[in-house]
């Protein structure tokens, strides 16, 4: 397989994986609907950054620890499960409190006049959902080598593939954010916002429990 063929094949495979519905898309869609496009895009950038982190870890060979060390894998898995359940419970708690506002749960970003640090918080949340997930690391360790042609610099080519995956993710999240804009007025209704928070919270908790109970 030539380098060009490998890049094209990986781009196609990564694009399919990117648009497959999952936790990352749910996070960005919910944030776009309730928090606004800017914070949603920052959450998407965080998710993409998490991909880059795992890509770098896999490229440098450190991610192999997850394959050989049950302790490392289980520790990261439990941390990810606790974090996802934490986010999900806060979303649910905020939606059921008086007024139904997620702001009362500490998850809704501040008004537009607030400092931009709020968007940074969503970047961190998006990043952590990937960085704390050992399955993303295992994915990179097992998936990337299939697209590295013979004779290529493994480190550089792995980082290039991870960067392609991250860029595809950013483009997909930007499309999701743009898709919510025509519905912004309807999505801003309190009842709709509560429904979105409850649905997303349930998804996060489900993913967290699945990760916690899953055997390697």
């Amino acid at each position: 397989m030539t380098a060009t063929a490998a890049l094209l094949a990986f781009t196609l495979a990564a694009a399919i994986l990117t648009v497959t519905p999952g936790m990352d898309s749910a996070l960005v869609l919910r944030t776009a609907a309730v928090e606004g496009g800017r914070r949603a895009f920052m959450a998407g950038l965080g998710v993409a950054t998490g991909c880059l982190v795992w890509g770098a870890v896999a490229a440098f060979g450190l991610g192999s620890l997850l394959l050989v060390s049950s302790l490392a894998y289980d520790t990261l898995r439990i941390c990810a499960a606790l974090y996802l359940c934490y986010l999900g419970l806060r979303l649910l708690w905020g939606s059921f409190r008086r007024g139904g506002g997620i702001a009362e749960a500490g998850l809704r970003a501040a008004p537009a006049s607030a400092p931009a640090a709020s968007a940074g918080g969503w970047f961190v949340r998006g990043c952590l959902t990937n960085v704390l997930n050992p399955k993303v690391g295992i994915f990179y360790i097992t998936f990337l080598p299939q697209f590295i042609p013979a004779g290529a610099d493994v480190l550089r080519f792995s980082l290039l593939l991870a960067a392609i995956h991250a860029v595809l993710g950013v483009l997909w999240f930007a499309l999701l954010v743009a898709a919510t804009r025509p519905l912004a007025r309807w999505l801003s209704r309190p009842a709709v916002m509560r429904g979105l928070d409850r649905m997303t919270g349930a998804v996060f908790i489900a993913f967290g429990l699945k990760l916690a109970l899953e055997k390697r």
Side-chain angles (χ1 to χ4, degrees):
M1 182 186 297
T2 65
T4 301
L7 289 174
L8 290 175
F10 176 81
T11 300
L12 177 60
I16 294 173
L17 290 170
T18 298
V19 302
T20 301
M23 182 176 57
D24 296 338
S25 294
L27 174 68
V28 172
L29 277 174
R30 179 265 159 204
T31 309
V34 180
E35 308 289 341
R38 181 169 179 267
R39 292 180 177 87
F41 188 68
M42 290 300 291
L45 284 178
V47 170
T49 301
C51 290
L52 286 176
V53 170
W54 274 120
V57 167
F60 283 103
L62 300 177
S64 299
L65 287 173
L66 294 177
L67 290 176
V68 299
S69 173
S70 296
L71 178 61
Y73 180 88
D74 288 338
T75 299
L76 198 58
R77 177 175 59 85
I78 295 302
C79 288
L82 290 174
Y83 179 70
L84 291 174
C85 288
Y86 164 77
L87 287 182
L89 287 171
R90 292 189 70 175
L91 282 166
L92 290 176
W93 175 249
S95 71
F96 282 108
R97 289 190 64 178
R98 185 177 178 181
I102 191 170
E104 297 172 41
L107 278 175
R108 185 173 182 183
S113 59
S118 297
W122 282 107
F123 175 86
V124 172
R125 290 187 182 101
C127 187
L128 287 179
T129 58
N130 264 2
V131 171
L132 290 177
N133 191 345
K135 289 191 172 296
V136 179
I138 296 298
F139 163 78
Y140 270 99
I141 296 168
T142 58
F143 191 66
L144 292 188
Q146 301 178 49
F147 296 92
I148 299 178
D153 185 305
V154 175
L155 175 60
R156 292 182 180 179
F157 209 84
S158 297
L159 292 175
L160 175 59
L161 295 180
I164 290 173
H165 191 197
V167 170
L168 290 173
V170 170
L171 293 175
W172 171 243
F173 296 139
L175 181 61
L176 291 180
V177 172
T180 65
R181 293 305 86 202
L183 302 174
R185 179 173 297 181
W186 178 76
L187 291 171
S188 65
R189 294 179 179 178
V192 176
M193 292 169 63
R194 287 195 297 271
L196 287 170
D197 287 341
R198 291 170 188 173
M199 180 177 65
T200 308
V203 168
F204 275 28
I205 292 173
F207 271 104
L209 292 176
K210 181 174 182 290
L211 197 57
L213 300 175
E214 204 169 48
K215 297 296 182 181
R216 187 169 180 177

